[in-house]
Amino acid sequence: WVVLKFGGTSVSSVSNWKNVAGVVRARLDEGLRPVVVHSALSGITDRLEQLLAKALTGDWEPVMEQVERRHADLSRDLGIPVCADLERHCIDLRKMASGIQLIGEVSDRLRARVMATGELMATRIGAAYLAHEGLDVQWLDARTLLHAEERPGASARANYLSATCVFEPDPALQQRLAAGHSVLLTQGFIASDSRGETVLLGRGGSDTSGSYLAAKLHARRLEIWTDVPGMFTANPRQVPNARLLKSLDYDEAQEIASSGAKVLHPRCILPVKQYSIPLSVHDTQRPGIEGTVVTATGGAGGARVKAVCTKKGITLISMDTLGMWHQVGFLGDAFAVFKEHGLSVDLVSTSETTVTVSLDPAANALDARALEGLVTSLSKLCRVEVIGPCAAVSLVGRSI
Ligand code: ADP
Ligand code: ASP
Ligand code: MG
């Protein structure tokens, strides 16, 4: 098996789709079974978030039309008809938007279902195009492949919107898929929980879908195809003279991804690391460039800064208490509150009187209600200040 994950930009134009078909053919020629995992068309997940917001006020029709038009335009450009399945997803979306308008609120469960529709729609087009190109391709619902794990302590919201999945090698799945068509194609970003309900893996989570499948299938490798030719020393869109990092080890890639380099979702490293599956990053527009390879031995030794990363949308919680100096147990009590509220702490800084922690939106499904609950509980221990949204700038490297 080889798992090929294509991001939003990679699946939004005819020229990119020609390259996708080329990569799939090349893997078949290598004697590998390709599993294609892809995202929604670029910008569609944001549009669906907008659709949810507009549904509450009743003014969702223009957004819905934009979503429909994007998919119809791409189908037309690719020379394939708008299939009945794609139309059904649009009808479902309209029903859900009407329901939200009628009730005047949106549950996390419904939010997950609405946002999952982007991937469902895009992959209908992807499968139809690859079939049109003469490939023997089968569309699979990712919710039958990836199952969310029970996470003690995680909030209900996090379980719907930022779930994690089990990824042990799965011989039954390997057998089932081996009996299928020569190319399998499925959605990133979505999975199902133990009740069979739709859950999301967090924004940008399609990379992690690819990684889970690579682990479950014990794939030869995981290839992440995106809109830049690899992982760079900084975001190449912000820093034009950033350098391509040709080889990294899993821990370096993990640190760079966790510090905000959006090119890899931070949760996509662990599954491939655990089963020593090489991960590579490539540019769909320029498939000839070698890109970045991440393996257990990829890191070059020596102390040096490997990357400068930025991360936005961070919330700081500053805890201030005069009595903290030389006091025993304050940090224990304070961190217990974060645990109780199912919130994962990212960075920590302390001084004599203040402890400040950061909450990463990628790890925590934070909303006003969740923050309010946290502040109420912490206020019993100290004075609390919420600061945000903030940005973090990180230098990542060995022994620095
Ligand atoms: P996809 O839709 O293919 O998943 P993303 O937008 O999620 O693509 O991730 C690719 C983007 O990551 C690039 O366009 C680039 O702007 C950004 N990025 C941020 N930091 C880095 C980095 N260090 N190296 C490469 N890309 C980076
Ligand atoms: N479409 C989803 C998002 O925009 C998942 C992904 O692209 O990885 O967050
Ligand atoms: Mg991405």
Side-chain angles (χ1 to χ4, degrees):
W1 300 102
V2 60
V3 177
L4 309 169
K5 180 268 171 174
F6 295 89
T9 313
S10 303
V11 297
S12 292
S13 69
V14 177
S15 61
N16 278 345
W17 267 112
K18 288 199 170 127
N19 291 345
V20 173
V23 172
V24 171
R25 280 198 199 96
R27 296 303 167 268
L28 286 168
D29 290 345
E30 272 182 66
L32 294 169
R33 288 287 304 276
V35 178
V36 175
V37 175
H38 76 76
S39 302
L41 308 188
S42 62
I44 287 297
T45 312
D46 290 338
R47 282 276 168 282
L48 293 173
E49 283 201 311
Q50 212 181 352
L51 181 80
L52 286 163
K54 295 280 183 188
L56 290 171
T57 58
D59 180 27
W60 52 270
E61 185 63 40
V63 183
M64 183 67 216
E65 277 169 19
Q66 280 174 16
V67 170
E68 283 172 332
R69 202 170 326 116
R70 273 291 297 287
H71 292 87
D73 287 352
L74 180 64
S75 303
R76 186 203 53 223
D77 294 348
L78 289 169
I80 52 170
V82 173
C83 66
D85 292 312
L86 181 54
E87 276 175 346
R88 231 190 16 252
H89 293 309
C90 290
I91 294 170
D92 287 346
L93 257 189
R94 283 179 174 280
K95 279 188 192 154
M96 291 189 277
S98 305
I100 294 165
Q101 180 181 356
L102 200 70
I103 301 167
E105 64 176 60
V106 49
S107 62
D108 297 327
R109 177 167 166 260
L110 196 50
R111 179 174 293 275
R113 281 178 57 199
V114 166
M115 287 173 66
T117 314
E119 266 65 11
L120 291 166
M121 293 198 290
T123 50
R124 295 292 186 184
I125 298 177
Y129 175 72
L130 293 184
H132 175 78
E133 282 287 292
L135 289 160
D136 173 37
V137 58
Q138 183 178 2
W139 182 94
L140 296 169
D141 188 324
R143 293 167 294 188
T144 66
L145 309 174
L146 295 182
H147 302 289
E149 61 188 351
E150 301 291 334
R151 276 186 302 170
S155 65
R157 185 175 168 81
N159 283 334
Y160 275 117
L161 304 180
S162 181
T164 56
C165 295
V166 287
F167 57 80
E168 280 78 46
D170 185 343
L173 181 69
Q174 291 171 20
Q175 245 177 22
R176 175 153 74 88
L177 297 192
H181 296 225
S182 43
V183 179
L184 304 167
L185 182 145
T186 192
Q187 308 76 44
F189 190 45
I190 73 174
S192 59
D193 68 9
S194 55
R195 296 176 303 268
E197 283 176 11
T198 302
V199 299
L200 306 178
L201 306 187
R203 291 302 306 267
S206 294
D207 302 331
T208 302
S209 304
S211 186
Y212 287 149
L213 282 170
K216 291 184 86 151
L217 297 174
H218 208 86
R220 199 70 68 79
R221 58 181 186 264
L222 166 64
E223 300 179 12
I224 304 281
W225 290 83
T226 180
D227 57 4
V228 286
M231 288 188 102
F232 282 73
T233 51
N235 184 346
R237 300 204 186 280
Q238 291 170 340
V239 184
N241 61 350
R243 283 179 299 114
L244 177 67
L245 294 159
K246 286 197 172 150
S247 111
L248 290 169
D249 68 26
Y250 292 115
D251 295 341
E252 291 170 331
Q254 177 69 67
E255 290 293 345
I256 295 173
S258 310
S259 307
K262 193 181 158 218
V263 60
L264 291 182
H265 190 252
R267 286 189 187 144
C268 83
I269 310 289
L270 175 68
V272 286
K273 177 185 172 186
Q274 190 148 322
Y275 297 103
S276 302
I277 298 167
L279 178 163
S280 52
V281 183
H282 311 267
D283 188 343
T284 308
Q285 261 174 340
R286 289 168 288 177
I289 302 179
E290 233 167 77
T292 302
V293 179
V294 183
T295 57
T297 52
R304 68 181 174 107
V305 175
K306 282 241 163 136
V308 181
C309 305
T310 58
K311 193 157 60 169
K312 288 183 181 171
I314 289 173
T315 303
L316 298 183
I317 309 289
S318 178
M319 293 164 279
D320 200 335
T321 164
L322 283 177
M324 189 175 80
W325 195 49
H326 287 185
Q327 187 190 323
V328 172
F330 173 75
L331 285 177
D333 294 342
F335 284 122
V337 174
F338 286 89
K339 181 178 176 185
E340 255 167 51
H341 286 261
L343 293 172
S344 148
V345 168
D346 189 16
L347 305 171
V348 184
S349 100
T350 64
S351 73
E352 301 295 1
T353 56
T354 308
V355 178
T356 305
V357 306
S358 73
L359 299 175
D360 179 347
N364 299 293
L366 264 189
D367 60 3
R369 196 159 26 108
L371 263 182
E372 218 177 274
L374 175 75
V375 171
T376 307
S377 304
L378 283 175
S379 297
K380 292 173 195 150
L381 300 174
C382 54
R383 207 170 70 207
V384 187
E385 193 185 352
V386 178
I387 308 164
C390 298
V393 179
S394 311
L395 302 184
V396 184
R398 274 177 196 286
S399 315
I400 55 170

